[in-house]
Amino acid sequence: MAGYDDTPVEILDEAAAAEELTRLAALITRLNQAYHADDAPEVPDAEFDALRRRNEAIETRFPHLMRVDSPTLRVGAAPDGAFGKHRHLVPMLSLDNVFDEAEFEAFVTKAARFLGLDEARTAALAFVGEPKIDGLSISLTYEKGRFVRGTTRGDGTEGEDVTANLKTLRDLPLRLRGAAPDLIEIRGEVFLAKSDFLAINAAQAEAGQKEFANPRNAAAGSLRQLDPKITAKRPLSLFAYAAGFASAPVAASHWAYLEQLKEWGFTVNPLSARLAGKEEAEPFFERTARERATLAYDIDGVVYKIDDLSLQERLGFAGRAPRWAVAWKFPAEQAVTRLLDIEIQVGRTGALTPVARLEAVNVGGVLVTNATLHNADEIARKDVRIGDLVQLQRAGDVIPQILGVVPEPDRARGEPFVMPDHCPVCGATAERPPGEVVLRCTGGLTCPAQVVERLIHFVSRGAFDIDGLGDRSVREFHDAGLIAAPGDIFRLPAHEAEIAKREGWGATSARNLVKAIEARRTIPLPRFIYALGIRRIGESNAKLLARHYGSFTRWREQMLAAAVIGSEARQELGEITGVGATIAEEIVAFFAEPHNRATLDDLAIQLTIEDEVQETGGLLAGKTIVFTGSLLTMTRPEARATAERLGAKVTDSVSKRTGLVVLGADAGSKAKKAAELGVETVDEAGWRTLAGLPPA
Ligand code: IVH
């Protein structure tokens, strides 16, 4: 081919190499442009790859000759020490898993019930099946057809800006071909081929560096390189598979959307298939499972998506997963190994959890050395004893589990395991509250394990998410007397010099830590509430509370008032959908502890806790709605989800705080109560109008 000579790289002299790199830079840039932007690849992929490889080979031989416009780099500005954070326009959620046909059927039934579909229409539901790539998901933003930003999933709301690194991916179009909405987020999976993973590990080993556990970790590690030059050398691939935000509609079906993605220049997994009905799901699963071993990359199941995008929109999300898609996972990987010991871990709420220490074993590409044994009942049920040979399994990201004991008739076994009656860390009595399976340390905040676990939770991902403050550093600072309570974390910057002098730290790490802490002095209310580690308040309940109370001040004041049983504040707390009485009790108990109130006060003076802005854009922003009676044009769950999407709060009982009662057919006592309290009511047709839905 014209434009470069094919003198073997080994015999090029320096001058010839420099000349060749100049030519290759221009040529590869032009071919790239032709491939990505002009819809007209000038050479076959293999030839293009050969050119890139030649360019790289020359650079490897003469590293000092690497040009600033080297195609190996193909990057923008390098990030300065850490990745910036970026908020996704539409959150990036995860998928619920199913493991067999019955569970898949249940998923379909649930979706159909939500939509109120009869049997015939359920049978006619079309799906798209796609291999579930075991990589890491990313979001790509295009403005007027140009790639402007790429982010990792992060916590689903906010990810890390890895734009510069993503630009090194050949599968990523820098410009979309043809017309596209002005602003669009495209979702996909970045992954490494299995063979490239092996090659990278070989190189890591040779360089005396840590090897990656599996292709996914290697892909993540490669994408999160601070130096894009390193990313550029890792052959990452990308499959696009979904839409995030779009400023204008793109397609009516997911299948058509995938077609559009291809037209824009993305690679869509060629094994994706349109399935005319749910009975095609199982054969597609079997087919994909058979092909799994022959694929160049790892997959861990099949993702099924309801094809009709208007149905997807109606179905929306429940918690962190869509109601319109599900992952049907391949069976868990299993292995047999020896149980070396059972240790007791003390959690942040004092729960004592037995953890199995195992002889290291490879389970589906991951080295496993410990597994959870859940609780005493589980150990007894499975009769697991130290020294036994055990069967364990690992499915996806979850903590490995012990399934049971592998009998060894000729071996003498140890004694049955007995849970301690004292906390192994602080020595306080361990109690098992009536009706619970979990044994708890009663030491509270006098137990160092609980203190440390709470601190670890406080800085964890969904909470304050402080970079550089992982489990190990939290323990270290706690043991050194630098932090005892959450508020102390924000006093760590005053100890920067001291931290810099600690073993393994140094001035730069200490500086970065201080920066990371300072960056978190402002925190959204839901994260703040979640960070407190109140029992049963996970991320979604924290969000519910934040949405309901709006500001830290109001939340705090109301939670204190809710201590009085029968008070209006207590009633209001219980009415928040999803909260209920047990959770309300936990929150009230938390506020009843003086040291918890002291922690809150300490944090409040050091931090800016951002109000949870009500979704003012929503048609029903800030309204509290009660549905009663039977609705004819949509199911109750859909009505509730629609109202919430439009910014309303939905509660179950009518009170003077209720803003609107929607009366379905045969509405009874709630209609009466609304009339008594003078609360506004509408019928179903009126509700549809308010919600901006077409008349039925
Ligand atoms: S769709 C809201 N499609 O699986 C639905 N996800 O367990 C968004 N994944 O975070 C995901 N292949 O990283 C979708 N064909 C595919 C996928 C896929 C792999 C990953 C993705 C997601 C995770 C959820």
Side-chain angles (χ1 to χ4, degrees):
M1 193 188 126
Y4 78 109
D5 70 19
D6 45 20
T7 317
V9 172
E10 300 74 55
I11 61 166
L12 283 176
D13 65 20
E14 193 166 325
E19 239 185 277
E20 181 72 352
L21 286 178
T22 310
R23 268 201 302 269
L24 283 169
L27 178 62
I28 293 172
T29 306
R30 197 190 81 217
L31 293 176
N32 236 329
Q33 167 81 16
Y35 178 89
H36 285 304
D38 305 337
D39 194 13
E42 288 180 22
V43 295
D45 280 9
E47 198 161 338
F48 180 86
D49 289 338
L51 288 173
R52 276 181 66 113
R53 276 201 305 275
R54 179 172 173 81
N55 185 73
E56 269 183 47
I58 301 174
E59 286 172 348
T60 310
R61 237 195 105 201
F62 302 101
H64 60 287
L65 294 183
M66 186 185 251
R67 300 169 52 89
V68 283
D69 63 345
S70 162
T72 322
L73 305 177
R74 214 180 150 236
V75 291
D80 62 345
F83 299 104
K85 299 263 160 146
H86 190 81
R87 234 181 135 79
H88 308 301
L89 292 174
V90 168
M92 290 179 79
L93 300 144
S94 50
L95 293 169
D96 284 337
N97 294 331
V98 297
F99 286 93
D100 55 37
E101 196 167 12
E103 288 179 2
F104 178 76
E105 278 285 337
F107 153 77
V108 178
T109 308
K110 208 164 150 203
R113 205 171 281 153
F114 181 95
L115 294 166
L117 301 184
D118 60 21
E119 222 166 286
R121 289 188 58 205
T122 306
L125 268 183
F127 294 85
V128 172
E130 300 166 12
K132 186 170 190 296
I133 312 296
D134 199 8
L136 64 146
S137 51
I138 40 122
S139 182
L140 308 166
T141 307
Y142 287 82
E143 279 174 25
K144 300 211 185 304
R146 293 177 72 95
F147 176 60
V148 295
R149 193 177 316 101
T151 42
T152 60
R153 173 173 147 182
D155 63 1
T157 309
E158 201 183 58
E160 282 177 329
D161 185 329
V162 286
T163 310
N165 289 344
L166 281 168
K167 281 186 181 168
T168 67
L169 266 67
R170 187 156 180 228
D171 294 331
L172 184 140
L174 297 176
R175 263 172 183 291
L176 301 180
R177 293 191 301 234
D182 281 353
L183 178 58
I184 186 159
E185 279 179 338
I186 285 152
R187 305 280 159 83
E189 198 87 353
V190 169
F191 62 97
L192 263 178
K194 297 180 211 168
S195 57
D196 291 322
F197 157 70
L198 295 175
I200 289 175
N201 263 359
Q204 292 282 110
E206 199 164 306
Q209 284 178 337
K210 212 171 152 244
E211 292 177 48
F212 294 104
N214 52 47
R216 196 229 327 238
N217 287 3
S222 303
L223 194 60
R224 296 188 70 261
Q225 283 292 336
L226 287 175
D227 181 358
K229 277 184 245 155
I230 298 179
T231 310
K233 294 202 175 112
R234 306 264 172 92
L236 293 167
S237 305
L238 164 71
F239 279 136
Y241 54 60
F245 176 85
S247 59
V250 170
S253 71
H254 181 64
W255 188 247
Y257 200 99
L258 293 181
E259 291 296 322
Q260 178 62 68
L261 286 173
K262 286 189 239 173
E263 267 166 46
W264 280 333
F266 291 98
T267 312
V268 169
N269 192 314
L271 299 177
S272 306
R274 188 173 188 279
L275 309 170
K278 62 185 162 76
E279 67 291 344
E280 290 184 20
E282 201 270 339
F284 183 72
F285 181 80
E286 296 302 337
R287 180 151 32 108
T288 313
R290 275 197 303 275
E291 265 172 292
R292 184 182 189 188
T294 67
L295 295 177
Y297 46 84
D298 272 343
I299 61 173
D300 55 354
V302 173
V303 182
Y304 293 93
K305 304 172 181 176
I306 290 180
D307 191 32
D308 184 331
L309 292 181
S310 65
L311 293 183
Q312 282 193 11
E313 197 182 322
R314 281 177 59 194
L315 284 159
F317 294 84
R320 299 179 64 81
R323 292 190 187 86
W324 44 263
V326 78
W328 184 344
K329 303 284 285 276
F330 294 133
E333 309 267 5
Q334 299 194 349
V336 168
T337 191
R338 199 161 295 280
L339 175 63
L340 301 176
D341 199 4
I342 297 177
E343 283 172 18
I344 303 297
Q345 240 168 37
V346 186
R348 84 187 135 84
T349 58
L352 303 187
T353 309
V355 176
R357 300 289 171 219
L358 305 163
E359 207 168 274
V361 61
N362 189 315
V363 196
V366 173
L367 205 61
V368 173
T369 51
N370 45 51
T372 178
L373 282 161
H374 301 289
N375 54 55
D377 289 2
E378 276 286 300
I379 298 182
R381 201 170 57 75
K382 293 175 180 154
D383 188 23
V384 176
R385 306 183 190 184
I386 295 170
D388 284 351
L389 208 52
V390 290
Q391 175 100 23
L392 65 127
Q393 79 169 18
R394 186 189 69 90
D397 271 343
V398 301
I399 307 167
Q401 283 183 314
I402 304 259
L403 298 173
V405 175
V406 180
E408 294 171 284
D410 296 334
R411 202 185 125 265
R413 298 182 70 199
E415 293 299 312
F417 181 75
V418 190
M419 286 291 278
D421 52 8
H422 285 83
C423 170
V425 176
C426 73
T429 333
E431 277 176 8
R432 186 168 168 168
E436 286 195 26
V437 286
V438 173
L439 200 64
R440 274 175 208 284
C441 157
T442 53
L445 288 186
T446 63
C447 174
Q450 290 194 44
V451 171
V452 168
E453 292 302 325
R454 280 186 211 194
L455 289 168
I456 287 173
H457 172 79
F458 187 81
V459 298
S460 67
R461 211 141 96 134
F464 274 77
D465 192 18
I466 297 177
D467 278 343
L469 200 53
D471 299 12
R472 260 212 354 244
S473 333
V474 168
R475 277 206 182 89
E476 179 190 339
F477 293 153
H478 174 265
D479 296 348
L482 286 167
I483 49 175
D488 298 336
I489 288 164
F490 295 94
R491 282 182 283 271
L492 277 177
H495 301 283
E496 184 179 334
E498 195 182 331
I499 294 170
K501 279 194 228 113
R502 297 190 70 84
E503 207 189 309
W505 282 86
T508 317
S509 317
R511 187 85 278 266
N512 286 340
L513 175 65
V514 167
K515 270 199 231 159
I517 293 172
E518 296 301 345
R520 290 302 194 212
R521 272 196 205 272
T522 299
I523 182 120
L525 182 58
R527 276 179 177 266
F528 179 81
I529 296 178
Y530 171 68
L532 298 173
I534 304 170
R535 260 181 85 191
R536 299 177 206 273
I537 305 297
E539 285 177 81
S540 63
N541 278 331
K543 220 167 236 161
L544 277 177
L545 290 167
R547 267 191 67 184
H548 188 89
Y549 293 100
S551 73
F552 170 67
T553 321
R554 182 163 138 74
W555 180 60
R556 184 180 188 285
E557 163 203 300
Q558 289 295 304
M559 294 309 95
L560 290 171
V564 182
I565 295 177
S567 65
E568 204 172 300
R570 178 65 161 260
Q571 201 188 335
E572 184 176 338
L573 177 59
E575 270 171 24
I576 304 170
T577 308
V579 171
T582 327
I583 295 177
E585 260 165 46
E586 295 285 0
I587 305 174
V588 167
F590 177 89
F591 275 85
E593 292 277 356
H595 67 257
N596 286 336
R597 292 200 301 273
T599 295
L600 284 178
D601 293 341
D602 181 20
L603 289 169
I605 45 174
Q606 299 197 69
L607 306 176
T608 306
I609 304 165
E610 292 174 319
D611 291 353
E612 181 70 351
V613 267
Q614 303 294 341
E615 285 162 44
T616 44
L619 278 169
L620 303 171
K623 246 198 167 60
T624 301
I625 301 188
V626 173
F627 290 95
T628 184
S630 40
L631 301 175
L632 304 175
T633 68
M634 65 173 72
T635 63
R636 189 68 78 75
E638 183 176 1
R640 171 190 289 270
T642 306
E644 285 174 350
R645 196 159 53 222
L646 296 171
K649 295 170 196 160
V650 179
T651 65
D652 296 324
S653 54
V654 180
S655 73
K656 60 179 200 286
R657 284 178 299 276
T658 310
L660 177 73
V661 177
V662 179
L663 305 176
D666 305 320
S669 63
K670 292 183 189 172
K672 218 172 106 206
K673 183 107 183 261
E676 275 165 29
L677 295 170
V679 173
E680 187 188 340
T681 59
V682 285
D683 62 9
E684 187 167 352
W687 148 248
R688 290 190 71 92
T689 313
L690 280 177
L693 299 169

